[in-house]
Amino acid sequence: MVKEIERAGLPVAHMCTVVPISLTVGANRIIPTVAIPYPLGNPLLTAGEEKELRRKLVRRALRALETEVHGQVVFDK
Amino acid sequence: MSNQKIRVVHYLNQFYGGIGGEDKADYRPEERAGVVGPGQALQAALGNAGEIVATVICGDSYFNENLDEALSTVIGMIKKHQPDVVIAGPAFNAGRYGVACGAVAKAITEELAIPVVTGMYPENPGVDMYRKFAYIVQTSNSAADMRKAVPAIIKVVVALGQGEEVSPETHGYMARGIRQNYFHTERGSKRAVDMLIAKINGQPFTTEYAMPHFDRVAPNQPIACAAKAKIALVTSGGIVPKGNPDHIESSSASKYGKYDIAGVTDLTSDTYATAHGGYDPTYANQDADRVLPVDVLREMEQAGEIGELHRYFYTTVGNGTSVNNSVAFAKKFAQELINDGVQAVILTST
């Protein structure tokens, strides 16, 4: 799906935990996430901390969408 | 070598290892003496030619989330038994399992120079990632094919264990892209001209050097500024309104859903859940924002960090869903997104 959306003309940020699969599939802007059953959360944190973690990751995705890339880039910072 | 029994170690995930389903996918590596689960059928097919001396089991999520640590533990457990051949899986169309089997194959082949045989459905992501390192027998997309997969795997295991030469054509594994030198009765120039003439005459011919198939899409231009952009959410993590109104299948999805989130500020356990059958749903069902971050994007919209969160999100279950279906879904809704003025997409996967 990532590739078809990109092919249609929209930049896509792919947020996923298993980065090697995303690289194989052909995503260009990749944001590594927390865990397979909760990519954008962490049930061990308090609700407030968890939301902050999610906000940080989503901000990273937005920054990736604002960044010019020429191939596959993993935004891990 | 031929009179010695082939020593085999078998790698399994938590499901086939009899530990449990998705709720046990974070199970740490463990070894058992002898056969476990599908190892029984493999041992029966091996007969007197070999023996499965040990089985190593690891949860799929644990493996993929802790790749380096899981791999070094698993490799250590396998190495101790000094196998001649390692069998992994078969993984059929289970993505994380296929990736784990492939990663084990790569490490065992590279570090210990021991051949690894596994079985997968051609669309399993483990095939493209690791076909160079493993002997991957083609299976169908479900465990119902175990009966056919077992003899196919054992055929390769016995050949490798007895030091025979193997090839994809005679032993039925997927080509690894490794070329071997041999003397042909005809020189290359003649073979090339023969091929050209066959092509001109519209006759069949077989290339000696198949071109790899790369399907890459160049990245699009970035958005100038998220604060002015309309952003849409898409997920393969199966988040749906509670009750799954469109009955999206928990695996091998044949459809996607499009749901209105106008005015929704938070996905709660009363309103949203996951339809995905390929990961432990406990955490997503408690709070679906953990997969589809509507809550923070809504706050960012209020705060002016993004221009607008698109009114609809698109969702499907990326669990054993065919590439053809996924491509068809996205082709269709990507055009809708563009028509609706969306400028960028955040796609989340589990």
Side-chain angles (χ1 to χ4, degrees):
Chain A
M1 291 202 295
V2 175
K3 211 157 50 184
E4 291 312 312
I5 297 169
E6 191 95 52
R7 208 191 302 272
L10 292 171
V12 189
H14 190 206
M15 308 191 76
C16 62
T17 302
V18 190
V19 172
I21 294 186
S22 181
L23 287 166
T24 302
V25 165
N28 290 315
R29 293 172 170 92
I30 301 168
I31 295 87
T33 54
V34 180
I36 291 163
Y38 40 89
L40 293 164
N42 185 345
L44 299 174
L45 302 176
T46 65
E49 289 169 339
E50 192 178 13
K51 205 163 179 182
E52 209 36 60
L53 168 74
R54 179 154 57 245
R55 198 186 319 274
K56 197 182 80 185
L57 289 167
V58 170
R59 280 198 180 124
R60 196 175 289 167
L62 294 174
R63 217 192 58 219
L65 290 168
E66 290 174 335
T67 305
E68 181 165 349
V69 298
H70 299 283
Q72 296 185 298
V73 178
V74 178
F75 291 83
D76 50 8
K77 284 198 196 79
Chain B
M1 188 134 184
S2 58
N3 291 329
Q4 291 263 320
K5 271 195 173 185
I6 303 160
R7 287 177 69 81
V8 177
V9 175
H10 190 197
Y11 176 83
L12 288 174
N13 72 354
Q14 84 287 348
F15 177 73
Y16 288 99
I19 308 291
E22 281 304 327
D23 55 324
K24 299 288 184 193
D26 56 355
Y27 199 78
R28 287 165 179 264
E30 179 185 295
E31 61 173 310
R32 305 259 184 92
V35 298
V36 175
Q40 289 178 10
L42 290 164
Q43 179 63 65
L46 259 176
N48 289 324
E51 185 184 356
I52 297 175
V53 293
T55 303
V56 174
I57 302 165
C58 181
D60 284 335
S61 288
Y62 183 82
F63 191 99
N64 282 284
E65 289 170 4
N66 307 279
L67 196 57
D68 294 339
E69 196 191 323
L71 200 52
S72 81
T73 310
V74 166
I75 299 310
M77 287 174 173
I78 292 174
K79 184 180 179 178
K80 217 170 51 184
H81 296 283
Q82 299 183 303
D84 301 310
V85 182
V86 172
I87 301 175
F92 303 103
N93 198 23
R96 284 167 304 156
Y97 192 18
V99 171
C101 289
V104 168
K106 178 170 190 275
I108 294 281
T109 305
E110 287 184 340
E111 292 173 29
L112 308 178
I114 296 169
V116 180
V117 185
T118 181
M120 296 184 205
Y121 182 61
E123 286 189 5
N124 191 314
V127 173
D128 271 353
M129 290 165 77
Y130 294 109
R131 68 189 310 155
K132 271 202 298 199
F133 307 98
Y135 296 88
I136 309 177
V137 169
Q138 181 170 334
T139 70
S140 82
N141 62 0
S142 90
D145 195 38
M146 187 70 85
R147 210 161 38 90
K148 281 193 221 143
V150 166
I153 287 171
I154 292 303
K155 182 178 176 185
V156 185
V157 169
V158 171
L160 291 168
Q162 294 178 344
E164 288 172 18
E165 296 235 336
V166 294
S167 71
E169 293 80 20
T170 53
H171 292 83
Y173 58 86
M174 292 190 241
R176 299 192 301 155
I178 293 170
R179 282 190 286 162
Q180 277 171 334
N181 289 326
Y182 70 99
F183 286 101
H184 199 289
T185 50
E186 286 176 340
R187 57 206 277 184
S189 51
K190 173 156 190 323
R191 303 202 305 274
V193 171
D194 286 348
M195 241 187 274
L196 180 62
I197 291 171
K199 182 171 184 176
I200 290 168
N201 290 336
Q203 288 162 349
F205 63 93
T206 308
T207 178
E208 293 181 18
Y209 189 61
M211 287 292 120
H213 175 67
F214 290 118
D215 181 25
R216 285 285 180 249
V217 179
N220 287 306
Q221 285 297 307
I223 48 174
C225 176
K228 295 196 178 114
K230 185 169 177 178
I231 313 265
L233 274 174
V234 176
T235 188
S236 63
I239 301 302
V240 290
K242 201 163 183 187
N244 190 8
D246 295 312
H247 309 291
I248 297 174
E249 299 90 339
S250 62
S251 75
S252 305
S254 67
K255 57 191 129 179
Y256 64 89
K258 171 188 184 182
Y259 300 110
D260 190 342
I261 43 168
V264 175
T265 56
D266 188 19
L267 309 183
T268 70
S269 60
D270 292 330
T271 50
Y272 290 87
T274 182
H276 200 294
Y279 66 90
D280 183 350
T282 313
Y283 311 102
N285 288 346
Q286 281 166 356
D287 182 359
D289 292 297
R290 286 169 172 160
V291 176
L292 194 75
V294 171
D295 60 349
V296 296
L297 277 164
R298 194 62 82 195
E299 286 180 13
M300 289 174 170
E301 184 182 45
Q302 300 289 326
E305 277 188 67
I306 61 166
E308 186 186 342
L309 175 60
H310 184 46
R311 170 170 187 165
Y312 301 98
F313 76 89
Y314 290 83
T315 180
T316 192
V317 164
N319 177 27
T321 298
S322 73
V323 173
N324 275 346
N325 277 2
S326 307
V327 166
F329 299 164
K331 267 199 175 135
K332 191 153 174 234
F333 69 67
Q335 208 47 56
E336 281 182 21
L337 290 170
I338 291 168
N339 295 344
D340 284 344
V342 167
Q343 286 146 304
V345 170
I346 293 177
L347 193 153
T348 65
S349 290
T350 47

